[in-house]
Amino acid sequence: MGWVPPGVRTLRDYRRDWLAKDLIAGIVLSTLLVPQGMAYAELAGLPAITGLYTSVLCLLAYAVFGPSRILVLGPDSSLGPMIAATVLPLVAAGGDPERAVALASVLALMVGAIMVLAAVARLGFVADLVSKPTMIGYMNGLALTILVGQLPKLFGFSTDAKGIPAELDAFVRALADGRTVPAALAVGIGCLALILLLQRLLPKVPAVLVMVVLAIAASVVFHLDEHGVHTVGRLPEGLPPFTVPHVSLGDLGTLFAGALGIALVSLADTISNASAFAARTGQEVRGNDEMLAIGAANLAAGLFQGFPLSTSGSRTAVAERAGARTQLTGVVGAGLILLMLVLLPGLFRDLPQPALAAVVVTASLSLADLRGTRRLWRQRKAEFWLAIAAFLGVALLGVLPGIGIAVGLSILNVFRRAWWPYSTELGRVPGLAGYHDVRSHPRAAHLPGLVVLRFDAPLFFANAKSFRDEVLRIVRHTPRVRQVLLAAEPVTDVDTTAADVLLELDAALQEQGVQLMFAEMKDPVRDKLARYGLTRTFEPERFFPTLEEAVLAFRLRSGARWTVAQDEE
């Protein structure tokens, strides 16, 4: 039998007692999808209605292709600035909403195509390209970017500045010029405070929904539009229109670069959320299947005037708390949004724009991970500075360069660890079996004339010379060395460059009357040495299956006795 979409398999196994829970969860979820969808669309520099189109199409597509039963997709606060950074520079001066929507739709199609092709090629592992410290720094920078970008909306005005330094400067100048709209500021701060208080004091209450209802009521009762407060206005009526977006060929390069970054962040976010919720439900995370589903959702959104999307931890948590059992929850949520667009398009007409800004600001606060940053400082300073570098990359250079910096730093960190791996001498510790790090056990015993060295990395072109220099340094500073024994179990590979360096090292040691020996080298690594022709220099008697046998052979040959701190045992 051929491949069957996960949604079809779920439908075959659907249980009647799940229906009521999925329906209730879908109704609860829709109350969050609408205001967040509109807010995140505006965060991306797009009309609010596109956020609802995106929400509908991605929920329906993921219901068919999604392997997770309760994961919720939609417009995402972490992608909004990336979409804006990609699309808005390409929009003509003065801002053409239709062109912006077309560009964003093409961006979604590109993200979808990248995800689907990567899933077919089984490249789910690319999510691991961004380490947690650099992702923490990236998200902290993203949170600050979103917060600074929303400040003018909270105060009732707008600026054309781009980038945090310029935006802060423009914001302060606007305040000094008296452009603040008092009514808008009151609404924005009040909505922000209400959401934060409800989330803290009454976490089970849908804070965003309560805020939206009260903000609309205040707008109607106090005629806020007459006091300079901008509102959402009447949304277009009807179903999302099927549209094949058209853009110029000159825009495709910029869009593709943005799509790569968005796809990487979306994938990392999806795998993270899927893993977290799968652990609770006992499901297994299948990275390539998730990539295929996210790709299908982006393709669907791109063909109905939507924009790139991702999973949402907050909306998934709401669905889970409401009792969701399957992706029918998302279908119900999408159906209710469609009903609203057909029957009640004016429902959110009087919603103040500062209220949407408050939704985005609270989302930005949830992106920041100050606790994780402090933990990095306490536990590993090097990774803390990686996080800070990623943060500064986003804050000073922008969102898209920031994700490039985050990926680059993660890869460089891998090379750094392989380039300068941990290495140490080993000795015997009374009461402990085996041989142990002399740095952790300064009183460890050693055999005069023997250096037992462990090098914790594969030997390759980047670290081979540092390995050679470390061995020669130890020989120079250790009296009367006769043999260097490499505990080779951590050496999982030797490339051709490292093989040549081993020959050079052996020749240099031979000149000093020192023999290079190996213990516990893996068979695949020895096979590579044989292919490189090193077995003519490194005879079989230089290799030992265990450290114990190698040390015993040296003792029998030399008559050396174990010594601690220059004193005979």
Side-chain angles (χ1 to χ4, degrees):
M1 185 176 179
W3 178 77
V4 179
V8 175
R9 294 199 298 268
T10 300
L11 188 61
R12 289 175 179 173
D13 301 331
Y14 198 84
R15 289 163 40 183
R16 183 175 298 178
D17 58 318
W18 291 347
L19 182 60
K21 294 179 179 179
D22 279 340
L23 290 175
I24 293 172
I27 294 170
V28 173
L29 182 62
S30 66
T31 64
L32 187 63
L33 292 171
V34 174
Q36 283 194 344
M38 293 191 296
Y40 296 160
E42 297 203 343
L43 175 63
L46 302 168
I49 187 63
T50 60
L52 301 185
Y53 292 163
T54 301
S55 299
V56 169
L57 270 301
C58 72
L59 289 172
L60 295 177
Y62 194 79
V64 176
F65 295 100
S68 171
R69 291 193 172 188
I70 66 168
L71 211 59
V72 177
L73 272 63
D76 187 66
S77 57
S78 65
L79 299 188
M82 300 182 72
I83 298 168
T86 305
V87 168
L88 295 186
L90 300 176
V91 178
D96 180 355
E98 291 186 3
R99 175 166 163 75
V101 170
L103 289 166
S105 296
V106 171
L107 192 61
L109 293 174
M110 285 184 170
V111 172
I114 291 170
M115 289 284 202
V116 171
L117 291 175
V120 172
R122 308 193 69 79
L123 299 178
F125 65 88
V126 298
D128 298 331
L129 286 177
V130 184
S131 66
K132 187 169 184 179
T134 49
M135 183 55 79
I136 287 176
Y138 173 77
M139 286 299 179
N140 286 341
L142 198 60
L144 182 61
T145 300
I146 295 171
L147 179 61
V148 171
Q150 294 300 307
L151 285 177
K153 292 183 181 180
L154 283 177
F155 283 71
F157 58 85
S158 62
T159 68
D160 295 327
K162 303 298 179 186
I164 289 179
E167 286 178 314
L168 283 174
D169 179 66
F171 175 69
V172 172
R173 290 177 183 274
L175 291 182
D177 293 340
R179 292 176 58 190
T180 300
V181 178
L185 178 59
V187 171
I189 298 299
C191 291
L192 182 60
L194 180 61
I195 293 174
L196 293 176
L197 283 173
L198 288 177
Q199 287 178 341
R200 184 175 183 83
L201 301 178
L202 300 170
K204 293 187 177 181
V205 172
V208 173
L209 175 62
V210 172
M211 181 278 291
V212 166
V213 171
L214 293 178
I216 292 174
S219 178
V220 173
V221 171
F222 297 107
H223 303 286
L224 293 179
D225 57 334
E226 298 177 5
H227 296 278
V229 179
H230 296 291
T231 58
V232 170
R234 187 180 180 87
L235 297 175
E237 184 176 348
L239 302 176
F242 176 82
T243 308
V244 178
H246 297 282
V247 297
S248 65
L249 290 176
D251 295 332
L252 295 181
T254 301
L255 290 173
F256 183 72
L260 286 175
I262 290 171
L264 181 59
V265 172
S266 177
L267 175 60
D269 197 28
T270 298
I271 297 300
S272 175
N273 283 318
S275 299
F277 286 96
R280 301 183 193 179
T281 59
Q283 286 186 273
E284 180 183 349
V285 176
R286 299 185 296 275
N288 291 303
D289 290 349
E290 290 290 358
M291 288 176 71
L292 179 63
I294 300 294
N298 274 282
L299 290 173
L303 292 173
F304 288 86
Q305 296 191 0
F307 51 85
L309 53 98
S310 183
T311 55
S312 169
S314 61
R315 277 164 281 182
T316 303
V318 168
E320 182 187 45
R321 286 198 300 267
R325 290 293 179 269
T326 69
Q327 286 295 347
L328 181 60
T329 295
V331 174
V332 172
L336 290 175
I337 296 175
L338 290 175
L339 286 177
M340 184 203 76
L341 291 175
V342 172
L343 303 178
L344 298 169
L347 184 62
F348 292 91
R349 177 184 56 199
D350 297 310
L351 178 62
Q353 289 284 359
L356 290 181
V359 174
V360 175
V361 169
T362 55
S364 74
L365 296 178
S366 68
L367 290 177
D369 189 359
L370 299 182
R371 181 179 298 175
T373 306
R374 289 194 298 269
R375 181 172 59 84
L376 289 176
W377 172 258
R378 292 194 307 268
Q379 296 179 352
R380 194 177 177 97
K381 297 293 192 297
E383 294 194 345
F384 168 82
W385 290 114
L386 277 176
I388 294 300
F391 167 78
L392 293 175
V394 177
L396 299 179
L397 300 179
V399 175
L400 290 179
I403 187 60
I405 289 171
V407 173
L409 288 174
S410 295
I411 294 173
L412 284 175
N413 192 35
V414 173
F415 274 102
R416 179 187 66 83
R417 293 179 181 181
W419 200 338
W420 296 298
Y422 186 76
S423 62
T424 185
E425 292 184 56
L426 302 180
R428 195 177 70 168
V429 179
L432 292 178
Y435 297 85
H436 303 276
D437 190 338
V438 298
R439 295 176 185 172
S440 301
H441 303 277
R443 297 281 295 170
H446 67 280
L447 288 172
L450 175 67
V451 172
V452 183
L453 177 68
R454 192 184 70 211
F455 190 78
D456 292 346
L459 278 171
F460 68 116
F461 65 92
N463 65 22
K465 290 182 173 60
S466 64
F467 167 75
R468 177 198 63 194
D469 295 343
E470 174 72 2
V471 173
L472 294 176
R473 183 192 65 80
I474 292 174
V475 170
R476 280 197 307 270
H477 291 87
T478 304
R480 297 183 296 278
V481 177
R482 297 166 60 185
Q483 188 179 107
V484 173
L485 174 62
L486 177 63
E489 194 273 336
V491 180
T492 55
D493 190 21
V494 176
D495 70 3
T496 55
T497 302
D500 291 341
V501 171
L502 279 177
L503 289 175
E504 295 173 9
L505 174 62
D506 185 63
L509 292 175
Q510 293 280 8
E511 289 179 2
Q512 302 178 51
V514 179
Q515 212 175 17
L516 179 62
M517 312 292 279
F518 304 90
E520 300 181 350
M521 180 173 282
K522 294 178 170 62
D523 288 341
V525 180
R526 288 192 64 176
D527 292 342
K528 289 182 179 179
L529 296 184
R531 287 203 304 274
Y532 301 155
L534 267 65
T535 50
R536 290 191 297 271
T537 301
F538 298 112
E539 304 90 346
E541 54 267 23
R542 292 219 206 175
F543 295 88
F544 294 87
T546 67
L547 276 173
E548 193 65 52
E549 288 190 31
V551 170
L552 178 60
F554 178 80
R555 290 185 65 191
L556 292 175
R557 220 171 27 246
S558 66
R561 298 176 57 194
W562 290 105
T563 301
V564 178
Q566 306 301 322
D567 296 326
E568 292 282 335
E569 285 190 340

